[in-house]
């Protein structure tokens, strides 16, 4: 990193046109790919150097607000087996009532917390119960932390079972591996 960045001006590794960053110069591309956090530092330094905000370096403001999403919907059903999916749905409703209109639900119970098929069924129950609790206008996202690795059949079933919930995105359902996909 020192060889790439130390002693150099930021405009030596960032391409800038009309006060906006338009790219990374070839000499710094691999360093930025390996150390993505360096781009944050580079933008901050360049902005200070030319007297503009990082937002302006990226082309200016695109919207007035960015909606936050609730990420607390974990596996609350596991310690409350008598309530099951209703426990997660209740907490989703509390988040909705607190103003959240987007929620990320942790799924992937099969193989970690439950048997694979049972876990998939509970994952689907939770997603559907949360949808019922927050209504059709809230965005629901799911994150399995690779919980469906080796179980593509169950992943397909989970997706089919939750179609009516209109899931906005699915995150880390399986480990990122082209052959596994």
């Amino acid at each position: 990193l020192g060889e790439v960045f130390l002693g150099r001006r930021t405009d030596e590794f960032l391409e800038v046109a009309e006060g906006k960053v338009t790219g990374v110069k070839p000499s710094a591309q691999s360093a930025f790919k390996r150390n993505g956090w360096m781009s944050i530092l580079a933008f901050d330094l360049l902005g200070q150097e030319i007297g503009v905000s990082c937002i302006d370096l990226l082309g200016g403001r695109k919207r007035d607000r960015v909606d936050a999403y609730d990420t607390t919907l974990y596996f609350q059903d596991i310690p409350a087996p008598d309530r099951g999916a209703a426990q997660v749905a209740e907490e989703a409703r509390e988040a909705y009532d607190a103003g959240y209109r987007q929620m990320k639900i942790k799924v992937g119970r099969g193989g970690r917390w439950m048997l694979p098929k049972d876990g998939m069924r509970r994952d689907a129950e939770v997603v559907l119960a949360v949808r019922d609790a927050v209504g059709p206008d809230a965005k629901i996202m799911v994150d399995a932390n690779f919980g469906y690795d080796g179980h593509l059949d169950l992943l397909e079933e989970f997706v089919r079972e939750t179609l009516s919930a209109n899931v906005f995105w699915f995150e880390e359902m399986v480990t990122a591996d082209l052959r596994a996909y």
Side-chain angles (χ1 to χ4, degrees):
L1 288 176
E3 292 172 12
V4 175
F5 297 111
L6 289 181
R8 296 178 63 198
R9 291 174 41 91
T10 52
D11 60 2
E12 291 180 57
F13 44 85
L14 292 176
E15 295 175 357
V16 181
E18 299 177 21
K20 294 177 182 65
V21 174
T22 59
V24 175
K25 295 199 175 170
S27 63
Q29 285 180 352
S30 63
F32 277 126
K33 280 186 179 177
R34 281 192 318 274
N35 305 283
W37 58 271
M38 287 296 296
S39 63
I40 297 167
L41 176 60
F43 273 74
D44 185 48
L45 290 172
L46 179 62
Q48 289 181 40
E49 197 173 291
I50 64 175
V52 300
S53 73
C54 290
I55 292 171
D56 291 333
L57 286 175
L58 293 167
R61 183 186 299 226
K62 301 297 180 200
R63 58 183 62 95
D64 291 328
R65 60 182 265 160
V66 176
D67 293 327
Y69 61 85
D70 179 88
T71 63
T72 63
L73 302 177
Y74 202 62
F75 296 126
Q76 292 95 327
D77 57 306
I78 302 297
D82 55 318
R83 304 233 29 240
Q87 180 65 38
V88 183
E90 179 182 315
E91 294 188 28
R93 185 63 205 194
E94 289 171 4
Y96 186 88
D97 290 344
Y100 289 98
R101 296 299 179 261
Q102 301 180 102
M103 301 169 192
K104 183 166 85 168
I105 305 168
K106 194 62 71 177
V107 296
R109 288 163 178 79
R112 281 191 200 148
W113 304 102
M114 304 172 92
L115 293 172
K117 182 80 170 175
D118 294 337
M120 184 282 302
R121 283 190 188 120
R122 177 64 62 81
D123 286 346
E125 288 172 22
V126 165
V127 170
L128 295 171
V130 167
R131 172 54 73 209
D132 287 344
V134 300
D137 296 328
K139 286 183 182 170
I140 292 177
M141 297 83 83
V142 297
D143 177 0
N145 287 110
F146 318 119
Y148 283 89
D149 277 348
H151 298 285
L152 292 180
D153 58 328
L154 294 177
L155 174 55
E156 180 180 356
E157 191 173 343
F158 170 74
V159 171
R160 290 180 189 281
E161 290 291 319
T162 59
L163 280 175
S164 66
N166 193 25
V167 174
F168 187 66
W169 50 250
F170 295 83
E171 178 181 356
E172 296 181 344
M173 301 309 283
V174 295
T175 301
D177 175 51
L178 194 54
R179 273 191 251 158
Y181 286 144

